[in-house]
Amino acid sequence: MIRISQIKLPPEHTGQDLLQRAGKLLKVSPDQIKELHIIKKSIDARKKPELFFVYTIDVLVEKEEKVLARCQNKNVTTAKKKPYQIPDAPVNVSGRRPVIIGAGPAGLFAAYLLAQCNLCPIVIERGKRVEERTKDVHAFWETGMLNQASNVQFGEGGAGTFSDGKLNTLVKDPFGRNQYVLDTFVKFGAPEKISYESKPHIGTDVLSDVIANMRNEIIRLGGTFRFETCLTNLKAEGGVLTAVEVNHTEWIGTDCCVLALGHSARDTFAWLHERGIPMEPKAFAVGFRVEHPQSVINHTQYGAVYADSLEAAPYKVTANLANGRGVYSFCMCPGGYVVNASSEEGRLAVNGMSYSGRDGKNANSAIIVAVTPDDFAGKDPLAGVRFQEMLEERTFAIGKGRIPQQLFGDYCSNRASVSYGAFESATKGACVLGNLRGLLPQALEESFIEGMHAFSRRIPAFDREDAILSGVESRTSSPVRLVRDPKLLVAAGGIYPCGEGAGYAGGIMSAAMDGLKVAEAIMRNMEEQRG
């Protein structure tokens, strides 16, 4: 195969235009191109109003060496692919099945790889299967009645299920795990374009079906799922895991347990800490969901010519402040909704969500300020958890259980908002206008305001007075890290911390990739035990 990069075409181009351009660059007629595969696609909007789609493609032609010799173009090379290699199935000396705690992306991909290698994992999930979970989440948004085991945070698919389904990651990937995860999503129902778009997303509506299809395949391969089942204890003998307890009533014998807990499993973090599982506090970030009209973001990002003809525009903004803090956008949802993402009574947290069409009227993003263990009261591993809980309790009190909101201009002036400005909020769950000042510690408030003003230099009027803030965005990542050794184990042999909740990922893709990494480690360790 031949790889061609940096192919630029105007937004109005067709598939035939791409084929014609490839033929021209290779100095062959288009009908001599036997196959064409898109490897990467992005938008270059740096010279508005002129925009381009930029492609990297792989093509198959006859007499490839002669074609390459004739081209003499730095953007035309031999395609070099390193596909992910599924490990050889190991011999399970003990004969006991691996147990995976949590059916988020980390747990699902660990289970999928283990199931493909004939290890028949048992997946334990405190929440419900995604079909039932979706009903519980929508009921909560409509009535305010919270199911603490089945909500935006807990249930099959993890917290990422009710988000934008963003699949981009900054994790370096020399092993092909990233592409394997994307290809797996496509295999189970995601659109093929996620495998090559520079900022791929699935959307909540499609992701739910993908997760269910993936679960059914794991079961077909010999895996087992147990929903509404919670890990409640661990048993070890001689420093080696022998069993896990679920629901305080049942022990499951195993010498391999993957802790793919998710970042909101605070009760589990607490008793793991009590039992001496090594963990440490971790930096994360907190702030607010901020909404703008999507039409305004489209004009800013694409210019007037293409603002109404291209898909909803994303953005990414960052600022490093003089006080040493970072402020940045996180989980940006084009055409999305602000959602009540609470999982505990008396505490309120928000998140952002988009459907696959990204056709909502507003853009929203978490605008968050970095916090470190120095910001927490106390130095123990759970200090960050308590910091989150404090913010969420304040938020719940401000809104009396509804999502509290405030216009940015009113936030700067420390006065309660009483009405929206030129546009209204797009939310899932009841909301109420009020005053969010005093929710965050003063240093974080000042940093948030400074960051919003700084972002307006990148996106004009980002700090507009009627931008809508919703509080509080506190579940950006896990506040703890479960310490693992070079074999990805913790002190009690057989326990594998994994994914975002364990502190080793930050989103769907990195969590899924860590699930693969841990499953690989499990199989390597099995082979070592056999040898």
Side-chain angles (χ1 to χ4, degrees), residues 445 508-509:
E445 288 189 330
I508 293 173
M509 284 301 294

Side-chain angles (χ1 to χ4, degrees), residues 14 235 306 465:
T14 65
K235 183 185 295 183
Y306 294 107
E465 292 204 347

Side-chain angles (χ1 to χ4, degrees), residues 32-360:
Q32 290 180 270
I33 297 176
K34 307 303 180 185
E35 296 179 22
L36 187 154
H37 303 282
I38 300 173
I39 304 302
K40 185 177 180 181
K41 177 184 177 183
S42 60
I43 294 179
D44 184 348
R46 292 173 295 176
K47 297 181 180 180
K48 295 184 285 288
E50 192 175 30
L51 269 66
F52 295 99
F53 280 92
V54 184
Y55 287 91
T56 297
I57 62 173
D58 284 355
V59 298
L60 177 65
V61 296
E62 294 181 358
K63 301 178 180 178
E64 179 179 305
E65 291 183 2
K66 289 185 177 180
V67 172
L68 283 169
R70 189 167 60 238
C71 284
Q72 297 298 310
N73 186 321
K74 66 178 181 180
N75 292 323
V76 179
T77 60
T78 300
K80 296 179 180 179
K81 286 186 176 182
K82 187 176 182 180
Y84 178 72
Q85 296 295 318
I86 295 176
D88 294 331
V91 175
N92 187 355
V93 176
S94 73
R96 287 180 286 183
R97 299 167 69 183
V99 176
I100 297 172
I101 309 301
L108 282 173
F109 273 86
Y112 181 51
L113 185 55
L114 293 173
Q116 289 182 94
C117 295
N118 304 319
L119 292 174
C120 304
I122 301 170
V123 182
I124 304 298
E125 169 56 54
R126 73 163 67 191
K128 298 181 181 180
R129 66 185 63 222
V130 70
E131 300 92 338
E132 299 167 15
R133 177 191 182 196
T134 298
K135 295 176 183 178
D136 291 338
V137 169
H138 284 278
F140 169 57
W141 289 338
E142 292 169 4
T143 68
M145 298 296 292
L146 177 67
N147 182 331
Q148 293 190 74
S150 180
N151 47 60
V152 171
Q153 307 296 341
F154 294 128
E156 187 180 26
T161 303
F162 294 94
S163 68
D164 188 52
K166 280 174 287 297
L167 303 177
N168 49 301
T169 179
L170 298 177
V171 175
K172 293 183 179 180
D173 179 38
F175 302 102
R177 298 186 187 109
N178 189 321
Q179 192 63 45
Y180 178 76
V181 171
L182 293 172
D183 291 343
T184 300
F185 281 135
V186 172
K187 176 181 178 180
F188 292 113
E192 186 177 0
K193 65 181 182 179
I194 70 166
S195 65
Y196 56 77
E197 289 186 329
S198 61
K199 296 180 180 179
H201 79 104
I202 297 181
T204 291
D205 46 343
V206 175
L207 184 56
S208 298
D209 292 336
V210 171
I211 289 165
N213 293 338
M214 195 170 178
R215 173 231 306 155
N216 291 333
E217 177 64 6
I218 292 169
I219 292 171
R220 189 190 71 80
L221 292 169
T224 301
F225 281 76
R226 296 187 55 178
F227 295 102
E228 299 180 74
T229 303
C230 189
L231 175 70
T232 51
N233 209 343
L234 301 166
K235 183 185 295 183
E237 295 178 3
V240 177
L241 179 73
T242 58
V244 299
E245 183 192 60
V246 295
N247 296 339
H248 299 287
T249 59
E250 177 188 356
W251 287 94
I252 301 172
T254 186
D255 56 3
C256 174
C257 177
V258 178
L259 295 178
L261 302 172
H263 59 41
S264 295
R266 294 166 174 169
D267 53 347
T268 306
F269 293 146
W271 70 255
L272 287 173
H273 179 52
E274 291 174 0
R275 285 158 179 76
I277 298 298
M279 61 180 68
E280 58 192 16
K282 185 176 86 48
F284 55 102
V286 298
F288 301 107
R289 276 279 147 184
V290 179
E291 292 179 86
H292 298 87
Q294 184 63 53
S295 59
V296 172
I297 299 299
N298 289 349
H299 275 78
T300 298
Q301 299 297 82
Y302 296 148
V305 175
Y306 294 107
D308 299 326
S309 59
L310 296 178
E311 64 181 18
Y315 64 78
K316 181 179 180 179
V317 287
T318 63
N320 293 311
L321 307 183
N323 63 12
R325 292 191 187 270
V327 184
Y328 55 97
S329 59
F330 172 79
C331 188
M332 193 271 154
C333 297
Y337 300 84
V338 174
V339 305
N340 190 329
S342 304
S343 61
E344 299 169 347
E345 294 288 355
R347 295 175 180 142
L348 193 149
V350 293
N351 195 7
M353 182 188 84
S354 292
Y355 295 113
S356 57
R358 286 181 165 177
D359 52 3

Side-chain angles (χ1 to χ4, degrees), residues 280-284 370-381 383-384 387 479:
E280 58 192 16
K282 185 176 86 48
F284 55 102
V371 294
T372 71
D374 291 337
D375 294 302
F376 312 150
K379 299 300 180 184
D380 63 286
F387 182 77

